[in-house]
Amino acid sequence: MSDLERLQKVIAHAGVASRRKAEDLIVQGKVTVNGKVVKELGTKVSPNDKVEVEGVPIAKEPPVYYLFYKPRGVISSVKDDKGRKVVTDYFPEVEERIFPIGRLDYDTSGVLLLTNDGDFANLLMHPSYQIDKVYVAKTKGIPSTEQLKSFKKGINVDGDRLKAVHAKVISTDQKKNTAIVQLILHEGKNRQVRKMFEAIGVPVDKLKREKYGFITVEGMNAGDIRPLKPHEVKQLRELADKNVK
Ligand code: URA
């Protein structure tokens, strides 16, 4: 998961000590994670881990929630070994340790939520969280009605059954042999939309996530961010509570 952070960074962020001092505290055996002493500097922790310094729990950051209109050409991660642009590069002013809830491919644009609230992220990413994720794909080729029907039944790709809740052609360009197709998914498997179209021999040229539940990027430009409103967070949580058993 992309919400893991190095222990010394987490301690420093909580305002307990500088990064250097935090490293000393770890090596000296003064830091516990979930009740166990950890002396390893490379140890990574998630927001759900309980970190204590000399027996005192570190303060939790207040939870924050953002909507990001992810442009194409950005990685859904907090860092990249190859130095490519990552989503958190768009949040230079945000001090909290935010991470993306799920991911969009490097070349996919659209709605992406970010938070530092691990519980909230886990809730939304739970497989039984049946929220509509609406994708619009520009395809090279025009899918047939039968092919779109097969999406709704579910198709097997590499031993995985991939399913759409809804699939419809919005428009076609017969001359260029392209189509604009809307797909609604409840699942969020890796590269799911691209794999489904590849499986029927109609590859995706461009892909955008237009909606995540009731959240859209309407009125925003690619690269824009905005905090989610408290009622939006509440509603997303309520939707999840209803479905996650
Ligand atoms: N499906 C894909 O193929 N890519 C995404 O980024 C999201 C869903």
Side-chain angles (χ1 to χ4, degrees):
M1 272 249 290
S2 47
D3 59 345
L4 294 177
E5 285 277 16
R6 290 165 81 85
L7 186 53
Q8 55 268 45
K9 186 173 171 189
V10 172
I11 295 170
H13 255 277
V16 177
S18 66
R19 188 86 60 102
R20 188 66 242 288
K21 183 81 203 305
E23 289 176 359
D24 291 344
L25 290 165
I26 294 169
V27 174
Q28 288 161 13
K30 293 182 175 166
V31 176
T32 59
V33 177
N34 302 323
K36 278 205 192 114
V37 174
V38 168
K39 290 188 178 177
E40 197 58 49
L41 284 181
T43 303
K44 296 211 169 162
V45 292
S46 84
N48 294 329
D49 289 318
K50 191 172 175 218
V51 179
E52 293 184 339
V53 177
E54 297 178 317
V56 181
I58 62 167
K60 271 207 157 180
E61 286 175 349
V64 291
Y65 308 89
Y66 288 95
L67 165 59
F68 176 43
Y69 183 166
K70 180 189 170 300
R72 299 165 71 188
V74 181
I75 303 209
S76 293
S77 174
V78 296
K79 47 186 161 289
D80 179 56
D81 294 342
K82 296 183 192 139
R84 289 169 297 183
K85 226 175 205 181
V86 295
V87 289
T88 42
D89 289 344
Y90 288 81
F91 295 78
E93 316 269 288
V94 174
E95 300 210 326
E96 289 84 3
R97 294 182 304 123
I98 55 171
F99 56 89
I101 302 179
R103 60 171 64 200
L104 289 179
D105 295 336
Y106 184 71
D107 278 327
T108 302
S109 64
V111 177
L112 187 66
L113 304 180
L114 291 97
T115 184
N116 59 347
D117 182 342
D119 291 336
F120 182 76
N122 288 338
L123 193 63
L124 266 54
M125 286 192 290
H126 195 282
S128 48
Y129 185 55
Q130 308 263 300
I131 194 163
D132 285 357
K133 289 155 200 129
V134 181
Y135 293 91
V136 174
K138 182 176 177 207
T139 56
K140 291 188 241 173
I142 301 172
S144 68
T145 314
E146 281 310 308
Q147 287 174 323
L148 293 187
K149 256 192 201 154
S150 75
F151 279 178
K152 289 191 249 178
K153 272 198 223 127
I155 52 172
N156 287 320
V157 180
D158 306 330
D160 219 359
R161 195 159 184 82
L162 305 179
K163 216 173 160 177
V165 185
H166 215 77
K168 71 170 181 199
V169 171
I170 294 181
S171 64
T172 58
D173 186 328
Q174 302 289 341
K175 242 203 219 142
K176 291 188 183 148
N177 193 30
T178 60
I180 304 291
V181 187
Q182 185 197 64
L183 224 60
I184 304 183
L185 306 186
H186 281 170
E187 312 163 327
K189 292 177 184 155
N190 193 25
R191 298 182 70 80
Q192 181 161 348
V193 174
R194 291 175 198 274
K195 281 182 184 169
M196 290 174 78
F197 278 107
E198 258 158 43
I200 59 162
V202 183
V204 167
D205 181 22
K206 281 189 182 158
L207 184 61
K208 179 179 177 186
R209 179 153 73 187
E210 292 222 314
K211 261 176 136 182
Y212 189 99
F214 54 92
I215 305 285
T216 74
V217 284
E218 252 170 50
M220 296 169 76
N221 294 312
D224 284 353
I225 64 171
R226 75 160 172 88
L228 285 179
K229 300 192 173 89
H231 77 265
E232 292 173 325
V233 175
K234 186 165 171 250
Q235 219 172 316
L236 284 167
R237 213 190 291 275
E238 279 168 2
L239 278 171
D241 282 339
K242 229 190 305 178
N243 293 312
V244 177
K245 313 228 160 54

